[in-house]
Amino acid sequence: MSDYNELYQQIILEHNKKPRNFKVLESANAYALGKNPLCGDQFAVYTKLDDQGTIEDIGFQGDGCAIAKASASLMTNAVKGKTKQEALQMREEFQKLLLGELDESQPHHLGRLTILSGVQEYPVRVKCATLAWHTLGAALQGQSEVSTE
């Protein structure tokens, strides 16, 4: 197994076992529920935006596979402190990354999130990895629910 694949697996397992920001955020002022009907994954994303539209705090709750939970955990760490627009841009870049459409040699805002590019090797898992991102996008755009279908 390559070092990259080993690191990818370690990160998925670590964030699945001990997800960051796995909480209901009582002070949230933006919320959405995301569902992947094909596999049953379901997450709620809670965000607290300040007056300037910066994500002050974020949390998620729900059930999903290891890839979905790890992706949600990594996402919450990555977008905390970002503006609404920056988070939406990251969502678009992440989607492109998993579809193999992101030119990683060009500037982007994903940082450590690129480790999840290994998901593209498993096309049926792309929706698992993007569920939390779709849900975040819905919350930031005032939608209460979103589906990967």
Side-chain angles (χ1 to χ4, degrees):
M1 182 180 297
S2 75
D3 290 343
Y4 177 82
N5 285 339
E6 198 171 307
L7 178 61
Y8 163 77
Q9 288 183 353
Q10 286 175 356
I11 288 174
I12 296 290
L13 292 173
E14 176 191 338
H15 280 268
N16 179 54
K17 201 180 283 187
K18 295 179 185 175
R20 293 8 168 229
N21 303 300
F22 192 71
K23 61 186 177 185
V24 173
L25 190 62
E26 299 296 335
S27 61
N29 51 17
Y31 160 87
L33 178 64
K35 298 177 182 177
N36 182 346
L38 291 180
C39 66
D41 291 353
Q42 182 172 300
F43 288 114
V45 172
Y46 308 85
T47 58
K48 181 178 182 188
L49 300 166
D50 68 13
D51 294 338
Q52 287 77 41
T54 299
I55 299 172
E56 201 171 274
D57 202 2
I58 186 167
F60 78 100
Q61 284 276 279
D63 295 310
C65 67
I67 291 172
K69 189 180 277 187
S71 181
S73 174
L74 287 161
M75 175 198 75
T76 60
N77 275 347
V79 301
K80 196 180 288 188
K82 303 288 188 206
T83 66
K84 178 179 169 179
Q85 286 309 112
E86 289 170 330
L88 290 172
Q89 182 176 5
M90 289 175 74
R91 179 191 66 161
E92 291 301 314
E93 291 174 353
F94 189 74
Q95 179 79 22
K96 286 180 179 180
L97 174 74
L98 295 190
L99 295 175
E101 298 170 0
L102 182 72
D103 181 353
E104 291 185 62
S105 69
Q106 297 298 313
H108 58 78
H109 304 88
L110 296 178
R112 287 187 56 205
L113 294 168
T114 58
I115 191 68
L116 291 177
S117 66
V119 172
Q120 27 179 320
E121 293 180 30
Y122 311 97
V124 296
R125 295 300 202 168
V126 169
K127 289 181 181 181
C128 300
T130 58
L131 175 61
W133 288 91
H134 287 300
T135 308
L136 172 65
L140 294 176
Q141 295 172 327
Q143 301 168 344
S144 61
E145 196 167 306
V146 68
S147 173
T148 57
E149 293 304 307

Short mmCIF file of all heavy atoms in Angstrom, two decimals, residues 31-99:
data_model
loop_
_atom_site.label_atom_id
_atom_site.label_comp_id
_atom_site.label_asym_id
_atom_site.label_seq_id
_atom_site.Cartn_x
_atom_site.Cartn_y
_atom_site.Cartn_z
N TYR A 31 -29.02 26.47 9.57
CA TYR A 31 -29.14 25.03 9.79
C TYR A 31 -29.70 24.38 8.53
O TYR A 31 -30.54 24.95 7.84
CB TYR A 31 -30.10 24.77 10.96
CG TYR A 31 -30.66 23.37 11.00
CD1 TYR A 31 -29.98 22.35 11.63
CD2 TYR A 31 -31.87 23.07 10.36
CE1 TYR A 31 -30.49 21.06 11.65
CE2 TYR A 31 -32.39 21.78 10.37
CZ TYR A 31 -31.70 20.78 11.01
OH TYR A 31 -32.19 19.51 11.02
N ALA A 32 -29.25 23.16 8.26
CA ALA A 32 -29.85 22.37 7.18
C ALA A 32 -29.67 20.89 7.50
O ALA A 32 -28.73 20.49 8.20
CB ALA A 32 -29.23 22.70 5.83
N LEU A 33 -30.57 20.09 6.95
CA LEU A 33 -30.51 18.64 7.06
C LEU A 33 -30.19 18.10 5.67
O LEU A 33 -30.85 18.46 4.70
CB LEU A 33 -31.84 18.08 7.54
CG LEU A 33 -31.94 16.56 7.65
CD1 LEU A 33 -30.97 16.03 8.70
CD2 LEU A 33 -33.37 16.15 7.97
N GLY A 34 -29.17 17.26 5.59
CA GLY A 34 -28.77 16.66 4.32
C GLY A 34 -28.97 15.16 4.34
O GLY A 34 -28.69 14.51 5.34
N LYS A 35 -29.45 14.63 3.22
CA LYS A 35 -29.73 13.20 3.13
C LYS A 35 -29.15 12.62 1.85
O LYS A 35 -29.20 13.26 0.80
CB LYS A 35 -31.23 12.94 3.13
CG LYS A 35 -31.94 13.40 4.37
CD LYS A 35 -33.44 13.19 4.26
CE LYS A 35 -34.16 13.70 5.48
NZ LYS A 35 -35.62 13.57 5.35
N ASN A 36 -28.63 11.41 1.97
CA ASN A 36 -28.21 10.62 0.82
C ASN A 36 -29.13 9.41 0.79
O ASN A 36 -28.88 8.42 1.48
CB ASN A 36 -26.75 10.20 0.95
CG ASN A 36 -26.27 9.42 -0.26
OD1 ASN A 36 -27.05 8.97 -1.09
ND2 ASN A 36 -24.96 9.24 -0.36
N PRO A 37 -30.22 9.47 0.02
CA PRO A 37 -31.20 8.39 0.04
C PRO A 37 -30.69 7.05 -0.46
O PRO A 37 -31.25 6.01 -0.13
CB PRO A 37 -32.34 8.91 -0.84
CG PRO A 37 -31.82 10.08 -1.56
CD PRO A 37 -30.59 10.56 -0.85
N LEU A 38 -29.61 7.05 -1.24
CA LEU A 38 -29.09 5.78 -1.76
C LEU A 38 -28.49 4.90 -0.68
O LEU A 38 -28.58 3.69 -0.74
CB LEU A 38 -28.04 6.04 -2.84
CG LEU A 38 -28.57 6.63 -4.14
CD1 LEU A 38 -27.42 6.85 -5.13
CD2 LEU A 38 -29.61 5.71 -4.75
N CYS A 39 -27.88 5.53 0.34
CA CYS A 39 -27.22 4.72 1.37
C CYS A 39 -27.77 4.98 2.77
O CYS A 39 -27.43 4.27 3.71
CB CYS A 39 -25.71 4.96 1.36
SG CYS A 39 -25.26 6.63 1.82
N GLY A 40 -28.59 6.01 2.92
CA GLY A 40 -29.18 6.30 4.23
C GLY A 40 -28.39 7.28 5.09
O GLY A 40 -28.81 7.61 6.20
N ASP A 41 -27.24 7.76 4.60
CA ASP A 41 -26.49 8.76 5.36
C ASP A 41 -27.35 10.00 5.54
O ASP A 41 -28.09 10.40 4.63
CB ASP A 41 -25.21 9.16 4.62
CG ASP A 41 -24.17 8.07 4.56
OD1 ASP A 41 -24.37 7.02 5.20
OD2 ASP A 41 -23.16 8.26 3.86
N GLN A 42 -27.24 10.60 6.72
CA GLN A 42 -28.03 11.79 7.03
C GLN A 42 -27.27 12.64 8.06
O GLN A 42 -26.88 12.12 9.10
CB GLN A 42 -29.38 11.37 7.59
CG GLN A 42 -30.31 12.50 7.91
CD GLN A 42 -31.69 11.99 8.27
OE1 GLN A 42 -32.34 11.34 7.46
NE2 GLN A 42 -32.14 12.27 9.47
N PHE A 43 -27.06 13.90 7.73
CA PHE A 43 -26.38 14.82 8.65
C PHE A 43 -27.11 16.14 8.74
O PHE A 43 -27.65 16.62 7.75
CB PHE A 43 -24.94 15.11 8.19
CG PHE A 43 -23.99 13.97 8.36
CD1 PHE A 43 -23.44 13.33 7.27
CD2 PHE A 43 -23.64 13.53 9.63
CE1 PHE A 43 -22.57 12.26 7.43
CE2 PHE A 43 -22.77 12.47 9.80
CZ PHE A 43 -22.23 11.84 8.70
N ALA A 44 -27.10 16.70 9.93
CA ALA A 44 -27.56 18.07 10.14
C ALA A 44 -26.31 18.92 10.35
O ALA A 44 -25.38 18.50 11.05
CB ALA A 44 -28.45 18.14 11.37
N VAL A 45 -26.28 20.08 9.73
CA VAL A 45 -25.15 21.01 9.88
C VAL A 45 -25.70 22.29 10.51
O VAL A 45 -26.71 22.83 10.06
CB VAL A 45 -24.46 21.32 8.54
CG1 VAL A 45 -23.43 22.42 8.69
CG2 VAL A 45 -23.80 20.06 7.98
N TYR A 46 -25.03 22.72 11.57
CA TYR A 46 -25.40 23.92 12.32
C TYR A 46 -24.27 24.92 12.20
O TYR A 46 -23.11 24.57 12.46
CB TYR A 46 -25.58 23.59 13.81
CG TYR A 46 -26.50 22.45 14.09
CD1 TYR A 46 -26.04 21.13 14.08
CD2 TYR A 46 -27.83 22.66 14.41
CE1 TYR A 46 -26.88 20.06 14.36
CE2 TYR A 46 -28.68 21.61 14.69
CZ TYR A 46 -28.20 20.31 14.66
OH TYR A 46 -29.03 19.26 14.94
N THR A 47 -24.58 26.16 11.82
CA THR A 47 -23.54 27.18 11.76
C THR A 47 -23.99 28.43 12.50
O THR A 47 -25.17 28.77 12.51
CB THR A 47 -23.19 27.58 10.31
OG1 THR A 47 -24.37 28.03 9.66
CG2 THR A 47 -22.61 26.42 9.54
N LYS A 48 -23.02 29.07 13.12
CA LYS A 48 -23.26 30.37 13.75
C LYS A 48 -22.42 31.37 12.98
O LYS A 48 -21.19 31.32 12.99
CB LYS A 48 -22.86 30.37 15.22
CG LYS A 48 -23.13 31.72 15.87
CD LYS A 48 -22.79 31.73 17.33
CE LYS A 48 -23.13 33.11 17.88
NZ LYS A 48 -22.65 33.26 19.24
N LEU A 49 -23.12 32.27 12.28
CA LEU A 49 -22.47 33.32 11.51
C LEU A 49 -22.49 34.60 12.31
O LEU A 49 -23.50 34.94 12.94
CB LEU A 49 -23.21 33.55 10.19
CG LEU A 49 -23.31 32.35 9.25
CD1 LEU A 49 -24.32 32.60 8.16
CD2 LEU A 49 -21.95 32.06 8.65
N ASP A 50 -21.38 35.34 12.26
CA ASP A 50 -21.37 36.64 12.94
C ASP A 50 -22.00 37.69 12.02
O ASP A 50 -22.45 37.37 10.90
CB ASP A 50 -19.96 37.02 13.40
CG ASP A 50 -18.98 37.33 12.26
OD1 ASP A 50 -19.42 37.49 11.10
OD2 ASP A 50 -17.78 37.40 12.55
N ASP A 51 -22.01 38.93 12.42
CA ASP A 51 -22.66 40.00 11.66
C ASP A 51 -22.01 40.26 10.31
O ASP A 51 -22.64 40.82 9.41
CB ASP A 51 -22.68 41.30 12.47
CG ASP A 51 -23.56 41.20 13.71
OD1 ASP A 51 -24.45 40.33 13.73
OD2 ASP A 51 -23.34 41.98 14.65
N GLN A 52 -20.75 39.87 10.15
CA GLN A 52 -20.05 40.05 8.88
C GLN A 52 -20.15 38.83 7.96
O GLN A 52 -19.57 38.80 6.89
CB GLN A 52 -18.56 40.37 9.11
CG GLN A 52 -18.32 41.78 9.64
CD GLN A 52 -18.64 41.91 11.12
OE1 GLN A 52 -18.34 41.02 11.92
NE2 GLN A 52 -19.27 43.00 11.49
N GLY A 53 -20.87 37.79 8.41
CA GLY A 53 -21.02 36.59 7.60
C GLY A 53 -19.88 35.60 7.73
O GLY A 53 -19.69 34.75 6.87
N THR A 54 -19.14 35.69 8.83
CA THR A 54 -18.05 34.76 9.09
C THR A 54 -18.56 33.60 9.94
O THR A 54 -19.34 33.82 10.87
CB THR A 54 -16.88 35.47 9.81
OG1 THR A 54 -16.40 36.52 8.96
CG2 THR A 54 -15.74 34.52 10.11
N ILE A 55 -18.13 32.40 9.62
CA ILE A 55 -18.55 31.23 10.40
C ILE A 55 -17.80 31.24 11.72
O ILE A 55 -16.62 30.92 11.79
CB ILE A 55 -18.30 29.92 9.62
CG1 ILE A 55 -19.12 29.93 8.32
CG2 ILE A 55 -18.65 28.71 10.48
CD1 ILE A 55 -18.82 28.78 7.38
N GLU A 56 -18.51 31.63 12.75
CA GLU A 56 -17.94 31.75 14.09
C GLU A 56 -17.82 30.38 14.76
O GLU A 56 -16.87 30.09 15.47
CB GLU A 56 -18.86 32.66 14.92
CG GLU A 56 -18.24 33.29 16.11
CD GLU A 56 -19.19 34.32 16.69
OE1 GLU A 56 -19.17 35.48 16.22
OE2 GLU A 56 -19.95 33.96 17.61
N ASP A 57 -18.83 29.54 14.52
CA ASP A 57 -18.83 28.19 15.06
C ASP A 57 -19.64 27.30 14.14
O ASP A 57 -20.51 27.77 13.39
CB ASP A 57 -19.40 28.16 16.49
CG ASP A 57 -18.95 26.94 17.29
OD1 ASP A 57 -18.16 26.11 16.76
OD2 ASP A 57 -19.38 26.80 18.45
N ILE A 58 -19.38 26.00 14.20
CA ILE A 58 -20.07 25.04 13.34
C ILE A 58 -20.10 23.69 14.04
O ILE A 58 -19.20 23.35 14.79
CB ILE A 58 -19.37 24.94 11.96
CG1 ILE A 58 -20.16 24.05 11.00
CG2 ILE A 58 -17.92 24.51 12.10
CD1 ILE A 58 -19.71 24.15 9.55
N GLY A 59 -21.17 22.96 13.79
CA GLY A 59 -21.29 21.62 14.33
C GLY A 59 -22.09 20.76 13.37
O GLY A 59 -22.77 21.27 12.48
N PHE A 60 -22.00 19.46 13.57
CA PHE A 60 -22.81 18.54 12.77
C PHE A 60 -23.21 17.36 13.64
O PHE A 60 -22.53 17.02 14.61
CB PHE A 60 -22.08 18.10 11.49
CG PHE A 60 -21.02 17.04 11.69
CD1 PHE A 60 -21.28 15.71 11.41
CD2 PHE A 60 -19.76 17.38 12.15
CE1 PHE A 60 -20.30 14.73 11.58
CE2 PHE A 60 -18.77 16.42 12.32
CZ PHE A 60 -19.04 15.09 12.04
N GLN A 61 -24.30 16.75 13.28
CA GLN A 61 -24.81 15.55 13.95
C GLN A 61 -25.44 14.67 12.91
O GLN A 61 -25.92 15.16 11.88
CB GLN A 61 -25.89 15.92 14.99
CG GLN A 61 -25.35 16.52 16.26
CD GLN A 61 -24.92 15.44 17.24
OE1 GLN A 61 -25.74 14.90 17.94
NE2 GLN A 61 -23.65 15.16 17.27
N GLY A 62 -25.49 13.38 13.17
CA GLY A 62 -26.16 12.47 12.26
C GLY A 62 -25.46 11.14 12.17
O GLY A 62 -24.54 10.84 12.93
N ASP A 63 -25.91 10.37 11.20
CA ASP A 63 -25.38 9.03 10.97
C ASP A 63 -24.92 8.91 9.53
O ASP A 63 -25.58 9.38 8.61
CB ASP A 63 -26.46 7.98 11.23
CG ASP A 63 -26.89 7.95 12.68
OD1 ASP A 63 -26.00 7.88 13.55
OD2 ASP A 63 -28.10 8.01 12.95
N GLY A 64 -23.79 8.25 9.38
CA GLY A 64 -23.27 8.03 8.04
C GLY A 64 -22.07 7.11 8.08
O GLY A 64 -21.57 6.76 9.14
N CYS A 65 -21.63 6.74 6.91
CA CYS A 65 -20.46 5.87 6.79
C CYS A 65 -19.21 6.62 7.23
O CYS A 65 -19.23 7.82 7.47
CB CYS A 65 -20.33 5.37 5.36
SG CYS A 65 -19.92 6.66 4.17
N ALA A 66 -18.11 5.91 7.32
CA ALA A 66 -16.85 6.49 7.78
C ALA A 66 -16.41 7.64 6.88
O ALA A 66 -15.94 8.67 7.38
CB ALA A 66 -15.76 5.41 7.83
N ILE A 67 -16.57 7.51 5.57
CA ILE A 67 -16.14 8.57 4.66
C ILE A 67 -17.01 9.81 4.86
O ILE A 67 -16.50 10.93 4.91
CB ILE A 67 -16.18 8.09 3.19
CG1 ILE A 67 -15.07 7.06 2.98
CG2 ILE A 67 -16.05 9.25 2.23
CD1 ILE A 67 -15.10 6.36 1.64
N ALA A 68 -18.31 9.64 4.99
CA ALA A 68 -19.21 10.78 5.19
C ALA A 68 -18.90 11.51 6.49
O ALA A 68 -18.83 12.74 6.53
CB ALA A 68 -20.67 10.32 5.16
N LYS A 69 -18.70 10.75 7.56
CA LYS A 69 -18.44 11.37 8.86
C LYS A 69 -17.07 12.04 8.88
O LYS A 69 -16.92 13.16 9.39
CB LYS A 69 -18.53 10.34 9.99
CG LYS A 69 -18.48 10.98 11.37
CD LYS A 69 -18.57 9.96 12.48
CE LYS A 69 -20.00 9.59 12.75
NZ LYS A 69 -20.12 8.71 13.94
N ALA A 70 -16.06 11.40 8.31
CA ALA A 70 -14.72 11.99 8.28
C ALA A 70 -14.72 13.27 7.44
O ALA A 70 -14.12 14.28 7.82
CB ALA A 70 -13.72 10.99 7.72
N SER A 71 -15.41 13.25 6.32
CA SER A 71 -15.49 14.43 5.46
C SER A 71 -16.18 15.59 6.19
O SER A 71 -15.72 16.74 6.13
CB SER A 71 -16.23 14.10 4.16
OG SER A 71 -16.30 15.24 3.33
N ALA A 72 -17.25 15.29 6.91
CA ALA A 72 -17.96 16.32 7.69
C ALA A 72 -17.05 16.89 8.77
O ALA A 72 -17.01 18.11 8.98
CB ALA A 72 -19.23 15.74 8.30
N SER A 73 -16.32 16.03 9.44
CA SER A 73 -15.41 16.46 10.50
C SER A 73 -14.32 17.38 9.93
O SER A 73 -14.06 18.46 10.47
CB SER A 73 -14.79 15.23 11.16
OG SER A 73 -13.80 15.59 12.09
N LEU A 74 -13.70 16.95 8.85
CA LEU A 74 -12.66 17.76 8.21
C LEU A 74 -13.23 19.09 7.70
O LEU A 74 -12.59 20.14 7.82
CB LEU A 74 -12.02 16.98 7.07
CG LEU A 74 -11.10 15.84 7.51
CD1 LEU A 74 -10.89 14.85 6.36
CD2 LEU A 74 -9.77 16.39 7.98
N MET A 75 -14.45 19.04 7.15
CA MET A 75 -15.09 20.25 6.65
C MET A 75 -15.29 21.27 7.76
O MET A 75 -14.99 22.45 7.58
CB MET A 75 -16.43 19.91 6.01
CG MET A 75 -17.22 21.14 5.55
SD MET A 75 -18.97 20.80 5.28
CE MET A 75 -19.58 20.70 6.97
N THR A 76 -15.79 20.83 8.91
CA THR A 76 -16.06 21.78 9.99
C THR A 76 -14.79 22.47 10.45
O THR A 76 -14.80 23.67 10.72
CB THR A 76 -16.77 21.12 11.19
OG1 THR A 76 -15.95 20.08 11.73
CG2 THR A 76 -18.14 20.57 10.80
N ASN A 77 -13.70 21.73 10.52
CA ASN A 77 -12.42 22.36 10.88
C ASN A 77 -11.98 23.36 9.83
O ASN A 77 -11.46 24.43 10.15
CB ASN A 77 -11.33 21.30 11.06
CG ASN A 77 -11.30 20.70 12.43
OD1 ASN A 77 -11.92 21.19 13.36
ND2 ASN A 77 -10.57 19.62 12.57
N ALA A 78 -12.17 23.01 8.57
CA ALA A 78 -11.67 23.84 7.47
C ALA A 78 -12.44 25.15 7.31
O ALA A 78 -11.85 26.17 6.95
CB ALA A 78 -11.71 23.05 6.16
N VAL A 79 -13.74 25.13 7.56
CA VAL A 79 -14.54 26.34 7.28
C VAL A 79 -14.71 27.26 8.48
O VAL A 79 -15.13 28.41 8.32
CB VAL A 79 -15.92 26.01 6.66
CG1 VAL A 79 -15.76 25.25 5.36
CG2 VAL A 79 -16.81 25.28 7.64
N LYS A 80 -14.39 26.78 9.67
CA LYS A 80 -14.52 27.63 10.86
C LYS A 80 -13.59 28.83 10.70
O LYS A 80 -12.41 28.69 10.40
CB LYS A 80 -14.17 26.85 12.13
CG LYS A 80 -14.63 27.55 13.40
CD LYS A 80 -14.27 26.77 14.64
CE LYS A 80 -15.11 25.53 14.79
NZ LYS A 80 -14.91 24.85 16.09
N GLY A 81 -14.15 30.03 10.85
CA GLY A 81 -13.39 31.26 10.68
C GLY A 81 -13.42 31.82 9.26
O GLY A 81 -12.92 32.91 9.01
N LYS A 82 -14.00 31.06 8.32
CA LYS A 82 -14.11 31.52 6.94
C LYS A 82 -15.42 32.30 6.77
O LYS A 82 -16.38 32.11 7.50
CB LYS A 82 -14.14 30.33 5.96
CG LYS A 82 -12.96 29.42 6.05
CD LYS A 82 -11.72 30.04 5.49
CE LYS A 82 -10.59 29.01 5.44
NZ LYS A 82 -9.30 29.60 5.48
N THR A 83 -15.44 33.17 5.75
CA THR A 83 -16.68 33.87 5.43
C THR A 83 -17.62 32.90 4.72
O THR A 83 -17.18 31.85 4.21
CB THR A 83 -16.43 35.08 4.51
OG1 THR A 83 -15.97 34.60 3.24
CG2 THR A 83 -15.45 36.06 5.13
N LYS A 84 -18.86 33.29 4.65
CA LYS A 84 -19.86 32.50 3.94
C LYS A 84 -19.41 32.26 2.50
O LYS A 84 -19.45 31.14 2.00
CB LYS A 84 -21.19 33.25 3.98
CG LYS A 84 -22.32 32.63 3.26
CD LYS A 84 -23.56 33.51 3.44
CE LYS A 84 -24.68 33.09 2.54
NZ LYS A 84 -25.88 33.91 2.73
N GLN A 85 -18.92 33.31 1.83
CA GLN A 85 -18.47 33.19 0.44
C GLN A 85 -17.27 32.26 0.31
O GLN A 85 -17.19 31.47 -0.63
CB GLN A 85 -18.16 34.57 -0.16
CG GLN A 85 -19.40 35.38 -0.46
CD GLN A 85 -20.43 34.62 -1.29
OE1 GLN A 85 -21.50 34.31 -0.80
NE2 GLN A 85 -20.11 34.30 -2.53
N GLU A 86 -16.33 32.36 1.24
CA GLU A 86 -15.16 31.47 1.20
C GLU A 86 -15.58 30.02 1.38
O GLU A 86 -15.07 29.13 0.69
CB GLU A 86 -14.16 31.87 2.29
CG GLU A 86 -13.45 33.17 2.02
CD GLU A 86 -12.65 33.68 3.21
OE1 GLU A 86 -13.03 33.40 4.39
OE2 GLU A 86 -11.63 34.35 2.98
N ALA A 87 -16.51 29.77 2.29
CA ALA A 87 -16.99 28.41 2.53
C ALA A 87 -17.70 27.86 1.30
O ALA A 87 -17.51 26.69 0.94
CB ALA A 87 -17.90 28.37 3.74
N LEU A 88 -18.50 28.68 0.64
CA LEU A 88 -19.19 28.23 -0.57
C LEU A 88 -18.20 27.96 -1.71
O LEU A 88 -18.36 27.02 -2.46
CB LEU A 88 -20.24 29.27 -1.00
CG LEU A 88 -21.45 29.38 -0.07
CD1 LEU A 88 -22.33 30.57 -0.47
CD2 LEU A 88 -22.26 28.09 -0.05
N GLN A 89 -17.14 28.76 -1.79
CA GLN A 89 -16.10 28.53 -2.78
C GLN A 89 -15.38 27.21 -2.49
O GLN A 89 -15.10 26.43 -3.40
CB GLN A 89 -15.10 29.68 -2.80
CG GLN A 89 -14.03 29.52 -3.85
CD GLN A 89 -13.09 30.71 -3.93
OE1 GLN A 89 -13.18 31.65 -3.15
NE2 GLN A 89 -12.18 30.66 -4.87
N MET A 90 -15.09 26.96 -1.22
CA MET A 90 -14.45 25.70 -0.84
C MET A 90 -15.34 24.51 -1.19
O MET A 90 -14.85 23.47 -1.63
CB MET A 90 -14.13 25.70 0.66
CG MET A 90 -13.00 26.64 1.02
SD MET A 90 -12.72 26.73 2.81
CE MET A 90 -11.94 25.13 3.09
N ARG A 91 -16.64 24.68 -1.01
CA ARG A 91 -17.58 23.60 -1.35
C ARG A 91 -17.47 23.27 -2.84
O ARG A 91 -17.42 22.10 -3.22
CB ARG A 91 -19.01 24.01 -0.99
CG ARG A 91 -20.02 22.93 -1.34
CD ARG A 91 -21.42 23.44 -1.24
NE ARG A 91 -21.62 24.47 -2.27
CZ ARG A 91 -22.79 24.87 -2.70
NH1 ARG A 91 -23.89 24.39 -2.18
NH2 ARG A 91 -22.89 25.79 -3.63
N GLU A 92 -17.44 24.30 -3.68
CA GLU A 92 -17.32 24.07 -5.12
C GLU A 92 -15.99 23.40 -5.47
O GLU A 92 -15.94 22.48 -6.28
CB GLU A 92 -17.45 25.40 -5.87
CG GLU A 92 -18.84 25.99 -5.82
CD GLU A 92 -19.90 25.07 -6.40
OE1 GLU A 92 -19.69 24.50 -7.49
OE2 GLU A 92 -20.94 24.90 -5.73
N GLU A 93 -14.91 23.87 -4.85
CA GLU A 93 -13.60 23.28 -5.11
C GLU A 93 -13.53 21.83 -4.66
O GLU A 93 -12.95 20.98 -5.33
CB GLU A 93 -12.51 24.11 -4.43
CG GLU A 93 -12.31 25.48 -5.05
CD GLU A 93 -11.33 26.35 -4.29
OE1 GLU A 93 -10.88 25.98 -3.18
OE2 GLU A 93 -10.99 27.43 -4.80
N PHE A 94 -14.16 21.53 -3.51
CA PHE A 94 -14.15 20.16 -3.00
C PHE A 94 -14.90 19.23 -3.95
O PHE A 94 -14.46 18.12 -4.23
CB PHE A 94 -14.75 20.12 -1.59
CG PHE A 94 -14.60 18.80 -0.91
CD1 PHE A 94 -13.37 18.39 -0.42
CD2 PHE A 94 -15.68 17.95 -0.76
CE1 PHE A 94 -13.22 17.16 0.20
CE2 PHE A 94 -15.54 16.72 -0.13
CZ PHE A 94 -14.31 16.32 0.34
N GLN A 95 -16.04 19.69 -4.43
CA GLN A 95 -16.83 18.90 -5.39
C GLN A 95 -15.97 18.61 -6.63
O GLN A 95 -15.92 17.48 -7.10
CB GLN A 95 -18.10 19.66 -5.78
CG GLN A 95 -18.97 18.95 -6.79
CD GLN A 95 -19.83 17.87 -6.19
OE1 GLN A 95 -20.10 17.86 -5.01
NE2 GLN A 95 -20.25 16.94 -7.02
N LYS A 96 -15.30 19.63 -7.14
CA LYS A 96 -14.44 19.45 -8.32
C LYS A 96 -13.30 18.49 -8.02
O LYS A 96 -12.93 17.66 -8.87
CB LYS A 96 -13.89 20.79 -8.79
CG LYS A 96 -14.92 21.66 -9.48
CD LYS A 96 -14.31 22.96 -9.93
CE LYS A 96 -15.36 23.80 -10.64
NZ LYS A 96 -14.80 25.09 -11.10
N LEU A 97 -12.72 18.58 -6.83
CA LEU A 97 -11.64 17.69 -6.43
C LEU A 97 -12.09 16.23 -6.53
O LEU A 97 -11.40 15.39 -7.10
CB LEU A 97 -11.19 17.99 -5.00
CG LEU A 97 -10.17 17.04 -4.39
CD1 LEU A 97 -8.79 17.28 -4.99
CD2 LEU A 97 -10.13 17.20 -2.88
N LEU A 98 -13.27 15.93 -5.99
CA LEU A 98 -13.73 14.54 -5.96
C LEU A 98 -14.20 14.04 -7.32
O LEU A 98 -14.27 12.83 -7.53
CB LEU A 98 -14.83 14.38 -4.92
CG LEU A 98 -14.40 14.62 -3.48
CD1 LEU A 98 -15.49 14.20 -2.52
CD2 LEU A 98 -13.12 13.89 -3.14
N LEU A 99 -14.52 14.96 -8.21
CA LEU A 99 -14.91 14.57 -9.56
C LEU A 99 -13.72 14.55 -10.51
O LEU A 99 -13.87 14.27 -11.70
CB LEU A 99 -16.00 15.51 -10.09
CG LEU A 99 -17.33 15.45 -9.34
CD1 LEU A 99 -18.28 16.52 -9.87
CD2 LEU A 99 -17.95 14.06 -9.43
#
